[in-house]
Every structure is written in structure tokens, then in C-alpha cells.
Amino acid sequence: MYAHEENQGWGAGGPPSAIVDAASTLLRMLSDPTRMRILWTLSVRESDVTELTEQVGGARPAVSQHLAKLKLAGLVQSRKSGRRSLYSVRGVHVRTLLIEVFSAADHQIAGLPDHE
């Protein structure tokens, strides 16, 4: 079941403004390839900044800044493990959204029609 099938009760007016605003923030966070890679990695397993830097490439300060933005947006959470901070995504919806976006991009690149 797709998320849009669960929320058809919103009618022609669409979801409330608070939901639209939160969705807009979420999509802005996904508009950066590095943040998408970070979120994908964190949806598979929790990682610290060093591991994420190795996984997604780029400079450690840049990865740290992306993590701060993702945490501020409520998409990432952290916990202390000794001297390290381990990061993970908040909830399964982030991974589901990434899968949908990557699948749509794959279909677009391959010239395949979207499935209903």
C-alpha cells in the first residue's frame, strides 16, 4: 500500500497546512545528493560521522553540517556511544520515501512508465 492510498481522506483541498509545510521541509532536505546518500546509509544502519564520510564521500565538516540540518529537520536522531555520536534515521518513512524517489528516477532514466 502506498502512502497516498492511506491519506485519501484529505479530499480535493489536500492535507492541512502543517503537513504541507513539513513535507516541503522534508523535500528540501532530500534535494541534496549528499543528504540523500547520508539518509540512505542511515536507513540501513546507524553510523558515526567518520563512517558516513567514508561511505558518502566529501569532507568531514560538510557531512557534519548535513547531519546537523537533517537532525534539525527531524529526519535524523543521534545517541552517544562512548565518545562517539551514532546517527540513524527517525522512522521507516524516510527509507520508504527514498525507495520511491530512487525507483521513480530509475524508471525515468530507463524510459519506463510509472506503475499505478
Side-chain angles (χ1 to χ4, degrees), residues 38-111:
I38 289 170
L39 287 169
W40 181 264
T41 299
L42 294 178
S43 73
V44 175
R45 68 183 186 333
E46 63 181 4
S47 301
D48 65 14
V49 176
T50 302
E51 293 166 339
L52 286 169
T53 301
E54 293 170 2
Q55 194 73 17
V56 304
R60 183 182 173 104
V63 171
S64 292
Q65 287 179 358
H66 285 300
L67 281 169
K69 288 179 183 179
L70 292 168
K71 191 171 180 181
L72 187 62
L75 299 174
V76 167
Q77 59 192 5
S78 65
R79 70 175 182 86
K80 287 287 191 184
S81 176
R83 297 175 66 189
R84 300 183 323 155
S85 290
L86 295 174
Y87 295 87
S88 61
V89 295
R90 292 187 64 202
V92 297
H93 295 295
V94 172
R95 184 172 175 85
T96 302
L97 181 60
L98 287 169
I99 289 169
E100 288 295 324
V101 169
F102 291 149
S103 294
D106 185 44
H107 280 112
Q108 182 181 14
I109 290 169

